[in-house]
Amino acid sequence: MRKNGPIALLFNALVIAFMLAPLLVVCVVAFTPENTLTLPTTEFSLRWFRAAFAHPDFMQSFWNSLWLALGSATLATLLAVPAGMAITRYNFPGRGFLNGLFLSPLIIPHLVLGVALLRLFALVGGSGSFAWLVLAHALVVTPYTLRLVVAALVGFDRSAEQAALSLGASQATVFTRITLPMILPGVTGGWMLAFINSFDEVTMSIFVTSPSTVTLPVRMYMYATESIDPLMAAVSALMVGVTALAMVLLDRIYGLDRVLIGKR
């Protein structure tokens, strides 16, 4: 393959700068000591970070988002592992339909999902329930987990499983002692990717949250419509930091190249 020329490198650098510039500006603004959104020029302050941690609504929404992301990512993983094994290992009627059904939230706009789930929750009496909110987020993030589980299972050498079965091991023992440890990087990476997407989800959450279950992204959206002080920049910087840390961990555990482009 030919190396990129200077024009291509310059174009790539401009694209990266265009994508990162808003994030960098928000993170810098978060350190301003002023009462308005201004870039600090002479001094930096942690004033608005302290204000964010002292704000009861933001802290409650943070814990809501954290527990919601943990619950939905775990539920999505519990669904994705058996579904991935069924899709990759067995030929049965409706296999393609099942695969498409699990991946359909990737192509359905979250605005449409939010309206549909709002109507569903109203019919079944689940409005305002945290458990139903976990189910809604699990529905949205399951495709991300399923893709990584399927990628881990494709080309999986089953000789070790067959050897264990021939020696008298049960299916449960084979799964827990052989299959799961071998696909664990994919499962863990899928769980982390589901956690990130659940924690950052805002469009669908606006429709299905209640005053007691408002998530952090929804709280930020509500606050941004009422105020323009740097508190939002501080909260945004914290979320950027948490997301970046999660992506670094995902890269170390599974590899972002395998997640984004399917490189094995």
Side-chain angles (χ1 to χ4, degrees):
M1 296 180 63
R2 296 183 304 171
K3 294 183 178 180
N4 290 328
I7 297 179
L9 292 176
L10 177 61
F11 176 79
N12 292 335
L14 291 176
V15 171
I16 295 174
F18 178 79
M19 295 175 62
L20 294 181
L23 298 179
L24 296 177
V25 170
V26 168
C27 292
V28 173
V29 168
F31 290 93
T32 181
E34 306 296 333
N35 294 324
T36 57
L37 294 170
T38 56
L39 289 174
T41 55
T42 58
E43 61 178 323
F44 292 84
S45 173
L46 297 177
R47 168 189 176 185
W48 294 107
F49 289 96
R50 290 192 294 266
F53 285 109
H55 200 295
D57 290 337
F58 276 106
M59 291 306 300
Q60 181 60 45
S61 297
F62 168 78
W63 289 113
N64 287 342
S65 290
L66 180 62
W67 294 119
L68 176 61
L70 289 172
S72 60
T74 302
L75 180 59
T77 303
L78 293 176
L79 293 174
V81 171
M85 295 182 66
I87 291 171
T88 56
R89 293 188 172 186
Y90 304 101
N91 290 318
F92 55 89
R95 175 188 174 189
F97 172 79
L98 180 64
N99 187 36
L101 180 65
F102 274 103
L103 297 180
S104 60
L106 289 175
I107 60 175
I108 300 177
H110 287 193
L111 177 64
V112 176
L113 284 175
V115 174
L117 290 172
L118 175 63
R119 178 60 177 166
L120 174 64
F121 290 172
L123 290 175
V124 301
S127 300
S129 171
F130 188 79
W132 283 96
L133 185 59
V134 171
L135 292 176
H137 273 238
L139 172 68
V140 173
V141 301
T142 295
Y144 300 99
T145 308
L146 181 63
R147 290 183 63 184
L148 267 69
V149 171
V150 169
L153 287 168
V154 170
F156 182 86
D157 187 3
R158 303 189 62 183
S159 59
E161 293 180 330
Q162 295 168 354
L165 290 172
S166 66
L167 294 174
S170 64
Q171 291 285 354
T173 301
V174 171
F175 175 77
T176 56
R177 300 291 296 274
I178 298 176
T179 308
L180 184 59
M182 295 182 71
I183 66 171
L184 190 59
V187 175
T188 305
W191 184 92
M192 294 190 65
L193 197 60
F195 177 89
I196 294 171
N197 281 274
S198 176
F199 194 87
D200 291 340
E201 170 60 38
V202 60
T203 306
M204 183 266 293
S205 298
I206 291 177
F207 293 92
V208 295
T209 55
S210 67
S212 61
T213 60
V214 174
T215 61
L216 184 57
V218 175
R219 179 70 66 186
M220 294 171 63
Y221 173 80
M222 295 167 58
Y223 190 87
T225 61
E226 303 171 355
S227 177
I228 57 171
D229 59 42
L231 179 62
M232 283 301 305
V235 177
S236 300
L238 290 172
M239 290 195 65
V240 169
V242 170
T243 304
L245 178 61
M247 294 300 290
V248 170
L249 293 176
L250 178 60
D251 182 53
R252 292 293 182 268
I253 294 174
Y254 191 75
L256 287 180
D257 51 352
R258 301 175 67 182
V259 176
L260 299 177
I261 63 177
K263 183 177 178 180
R264 299 186 60 84

